[in-house]
Amino acid sequence: MVRIFVEGEDDKKFIIVFLRKLLKDKAVDLGNNTNFDDLITIMGNKSKLLKYENYANTSLLVGKKIKKALFIFDCDFEKDNKKCNGIEKSQECFDKLKDKLKWTIPIDNYIFYKNLDYFIAKTIGKEHCLLEIEKCLELNTLKPNRKPLASLYAIMYPKKPYNLEHDDFKKIKDKLIDLFKGIK
Amino acid sequence: MSEHFIKNIEIKNFKCFKDFKAEGFGRVNLIGGKNNVGKTAFMEAVYVNVHSQNTKQFTYSTYCLKMVREKINILMQPNINYKDKFMEQSNQMLTESNIHKTFFEIKEIDSVKKYYFNLSDKEILVNFKEFSFDIEIVPNIIFIDNFGLSTDEIINNYSAIQKKDEEPYLNNLLEKLDSRIKAFKVIYEKPQCKVNDKYFEVTEFGDGVRHLISIVTSLYKAENGYLFIDEIDNGVHYTMLDELWRVVLDVSEKLNVQVFATTHSKECIESYARVAKKLEDEEITFIELGRNDNNQIESITYPYEWLIDEIEQNHGVRGW
């Protein structure tokens, strides 16, 4: 079995949309396991996802049940000047976590550009809309890193998935396909 | 946790277990896993381990397990002699827990067949022909197979409920299972349920009624002991599962009973976690069995908080 670790519920929903698409395209084979929930663990937020202590239980599953792992999280905003923000610092923090975990299974990671909302907005060519909404409603000042677009998009277009064919999705798509390779 | 509770066990050379260890057990332990991964065999090994005070107890435990497994064959061929067969299935079996160590081996010394026992470091070597096969029943260690208990066993166990004047507890539960059932009694040495002012033998009802009566009466009988329940949810409608678990958690705590049970059902596991959370009963575990790449059986023991978290994330825990 594989396990994907994400920050929150929105990330999980997005990954499930993606997995469904990959399954439909026969790009991945999930075998008998059609319970997507079983493949994904919500860690709560980025700090919790990058905190070694939060994997004490999961480590007991590694090697037995979990044979491969993929960590997906936001790089967030460099301007916030937090320890693990921005692509480089996010990757550094994750590499430290990986070293500490000492899991003897293949581990990979994928970091979203800014956050899932920006990433999605960019792939549907509407990043300017998001910036406009954020600016107008002062969303950043209220609650940074909320995902209004992902939520709105899902409500307004429940049957229309994100443009998963967009080039920006290629990297995460390849990582997901790779994750399921060689898994019985 | 009570001192007599099994907290860990090592099992060697018993049925599907070659070399197996599990630890971290609680007062109530639910076991899950795929078919033929050894859920029942795991309980059987613990059952043998807690019967290790002397050879008579050990003999009884292996006899019982053979009877449970061979029930249908015995019914079809009642004259088969199982006397030594039930011992042979345990040849070279080792179980070591925090409470007892049990080792049994059939040896041949100078062409003489002998039984060798090591029961909590007490060694006994007996000629097979001189072995008595006498048994000692430990009344508060009970194994319920997926068919439930026999009529005699139900009657015997029901006396434990009567002694505590807890008959209304069972009646209330049976009424929740089937609102037509108003009472349970043993009349003319037959367990019976009252429906529309008339008593009917328990055999007239569905499997769920018998299974539920078996579980509740056994919980009372197993005071300060152990209860093993194979396929605990057998015949029980999913809407009754919370009630069943409430009784198991409640009575096992009150009477100091360690419970081991198996299930295949997701609903049953979810109900178990839900009720434990509601009752804030942290002395529970879930034991998941699976096979590694070398086909050997391994286990993962989920304590209370971890189990709740896994269920809330809708992660599968029914084997791998």
Side-chain angles (χ1 to χ4, degrees):
Chain A
M1 195 183 81
V2 305
R3 186 59 62 83
I4 302 164
F5 298 89
V6 297
E7 290 183 39
E9 192 67 45
D10 294 330
D11 303 296
K12 179 176 168 177
K13 281 180 190 162
F14 170 72
I15 297 299
I16 289 175
V17 168
F18 216 140
L19 285 176
R20 285 215 171 95
K21 162 102 171 99
L22 293 177
L23 203 57
K24 198 177 155 198
D25 295 347
K26 296 191 173 147
V28 294
D29 180 8
L30 305 189
N32 293 328
N33 192 357
T34 48
N35 175 16
F36 290 110
D37 293 328
D38 202 15
L39 306 172
I40 303 168
T41 295
I42 296 173
M43 298 304 293
N45 56 43
K46 187 175 174 182
S47 318
K48 287 180 182 170
L49 185 139
L50 292 172
K51 195 173 175 185
Y52 164 75
E53 287 78 8
N54 291 336
Y55 294 90
N57 286 333
T58 308
S59 292
L60 300 172
L61 304 179
V62 169
K64 285 183 178 176
K65 281 177 84 171
I66 301 174
K67 306 284 186 186
K68 270 178 160 184
L70 175 63
F71 293 76
I72 298 174
F73 52 98
D74 301 338
C75 87
D76 293 324
F77 305 93
E78 248 170 300
K79 62 178 185 208
D80 291 346
N81 201 23
K82 285 190 183 164
K83 200 176 97 188
C84 297
N85 277 14
I87 285 279
E88 277 178 23
K89 284 200 273 181
S90 291
Q91 187 64 49
E92 275 171 27
C93 288
F94 176 73
D95 290 342
K96 276 182 196 161
L97 169 73
K98 194 175 154 184
D99 287 346
K100 274 177 108 174
L101 286 172
K102 293 195 176 83
W103 290 354
T104 53
I105 56 166
I107 300 173
D108 200 357
N109 75 294
Y110 181 79
I111 303 171
F112 284 122
Y113 161 73
K114 291 182 184 172
N115 66 22
L116 177 64
D117 235 15
Y118 276 84
F119 182 71
I120 288 166
K122 196 168 168 241
T123 58
I124 55 174
K126 306 277 184 189
E127 191 176 14
H128 59 285
C129 300
L130 175 66
L131 291 170
E132 207 54 50
I133 291 170
E134 280 202 341
K135 196 175 152 194
C136 182
L137 298 179
E138 298 174 346
L139 294 172
N140 272 348
T141 56
L142 291 172
K143 185 104 182 180
N145 283 332
R146 286 295 289 265
K147 297 176 178 72
L149 188 71
S151 309
L152 259 178
Y153 193 88
I155 294 164
M156 291 171 72
Y157 305 105
K159 288 184 180 171
K160 192 176 173 183
Y162 315 109
N163 179 12
L164 299 176
E165 300 298 338
H166 193 281
D167 277 351
D168 283 3
F169 279 121
K170 192 178 178 319
K171 201 172 167 191
I172 187 170
K173 183 177 166 184
D174 290 345
K175 283 185 186 274
L176 285 169
I177 291 170
D178 191 51
L179 180 68
F180 289 93
K181 269 185 195 157
I183 295 292
K184 287 174 204 166
Chain B
M1 286 240 296
S2 178
E3 274 184 18
H4 77 277
F5 287 174
I6 299 286
K7 291 175 190 157
N8 53 63
I9 195 159
E10 184 178 354
I11 306 165
K12 282 184 182 170
N13 306 318
F14 180 67
K15 297 193 173 177
C16 46
F17 296 104
K18 290 280 163 274
D19 189 355
F20 171 86
K21 276 182 188 171
E23 58 186 5
F25 309 151
R27 189 186 78 253
V28 181
N29 308 276
L30 183 60
I31 304 150
K34 293 182 177 173
N35 286 115
N36 292 322
V37 77
K39 296 184 292 297
T40 306
F42 169 79
M43 286 206 306
E44 289 174 344
V46 180
Y47 182 76
V48 171
N49 185 267
V50 294
H51 276 97
S52 302
Q53 300 281 352
N54 54 51
T55 58
K56 288 178 182 177
Q57 283 187 12
F58 180 86
T59 306
Y60 173 70
S61 66
T62 59
Y63 166 79
C64 271
L65 297 182
K66 192 75 182 165
M67 288 297 147
V68 165
R69 295 276 187 162
E70 299 274 351
K71 205 177 260 176
I72 295 166
N73 295 332
I74 293 162
L75 284 170
M76 301 304 286
Q77 297 169 287
N79 296 324
I80 287 181
N81 182 5
Y82 280 91
K83 205 165 105 178
D84 54 347
K85 279 189 184 161
F86 60 75
M87 295 295 277
E88 276 169 21
Q89 72 171 1
S90 306
N91 188 20
Q92 293 192 324
M93 173 198 198
L94 176 130
T95 69
E96 187 166 2
S97 70
N98 54 306
I99 304 293
H100 294 297
K101 182 182 170 184
T102 314
F103 180 68
F104 170 72
E105 190 177 16
I106 300 169
K107 293 186 176 205
E108 201 165 307
I109 303 169
D110 299 332
S111 303
V112 178
K113 187 175 170 181
K114 295 184 183 225
Y115 281 174
Y116 168 78
F117 298 88
N118 185 331
L119 304 175
S120 294
D121 291 332
K122 217 162 47 180
E123 291 183 285
I124 299 148
L125 188 67
V126 197
N127 280 355
F128 165 70
K129 284 184 179 166
E130 287 162 17
F131 190 67
S132 70
F133 289 97
D134 284 347
I135 56 166
E136 180 189 327
I137 298 169
V138 187
N140 63 352
I141 305 176
I142 300 166
F143 197 108
I144 305 174
D145 68 19
N146 51 357
F147 297 106
L149 297 178
S150 69
T151 296
D152 286 348
E153 288 167 319
I154 287 177
I155 294 169
N156 183 27
N157 293 354
Y158 183 60
S159 58
I161 289 190
Q162 289 176 306
K163 260 191 201 171
K164 292 196 180 293
D165 295 321
E166 294 272 20
E167 295 97 326
Y169 195 89
L170 177 60
N171 291 340
N172 183 29
L173 188 67
L174 286 169
E175 196 175 351
K176 280 180 181 160
L177 180 77
D178 180 345
S179 58
R180 299 171 310 141
I181 300 176
K182 298 299 173 195
F184 172 87
K185 275 184 184 169
V186 176
I187 304 170
Y188 300 128
E189 296 186 350
K190 291 208 159 62
Q192 306 199 25
C193 288
K194 190 180 182 181
V195 173
N196 294 334
D197 293 327
K198 264 180 82 180
Y199 279 94
F200 297 89
E201 286 186 32
V202 163
T203 46
E204 302 289 318
F205 295 85
D207 287 347
V209 171
R210 184 181 200 88
H211 202 57
L212 201 65
I213 293 169
S214 300
I215 291 170
V216 180
T217 56
S218 299
L219 273 165
Y220 279 86
K221 184 74 178 176
E223 183 169 8
N224 296 316
Y226 307 91
L227 176 60
F228 301 85
I229 312 164
D230 203 11
E231 294 184 29
I232 187 166
D233 52 321
N234 190 26
V236 180
H237 192 260
Y238 76 97
T239 54
M240 268 302 289
L241 288 171
D242 280 20
E243 199 54 44
L244 173 66
W245 280 120
R246 193 188 59 73
V247 170
V248 171
L249 295 180
D250 179 29
V251 181
S252 67
E253 187 186 16
K254 208 162 59 185
L255 301 181
N256 208 22
V257 184
Q258 189 172 30
V259 179
F260 291 87
T262 66
T263 188
H264 282 114
S265 149
K266 189 177 178 220
E267 283 164 343
C268 183
I269 300 165
E270 287 169 353
S271 165
Y272 177 58
R274 182 167 57 240
V275 176
K277 191 177 176 185
K278 201 170 169 187
L279 298 177
E280 295 177 358
D281 188 341
E282 296 188 8
E283 287 187 346
I284 63 137
T285 74
F286 182 81
I287 302 165
E288 183 180 25
L289 300 180
R291 289 185 188 273
N292 64 18
D293 295 339
N294 300 320
N295 226 12
Q296 298 302 307
I297 301 161
E298 292 184 329
S299 72
I300 297 163
T301 304
Y302 299 84
Y304 170 80
E305 272 189 29
W306 189 13
L307 176 64
I308 302 291
D309 189 43
E310 290 293 289
I311 298 297
E312 282 174 356
Q313 295 242 16
N314 202 18
H315 288 161
V317 288
R318 290 181 294 168
W320 69 94

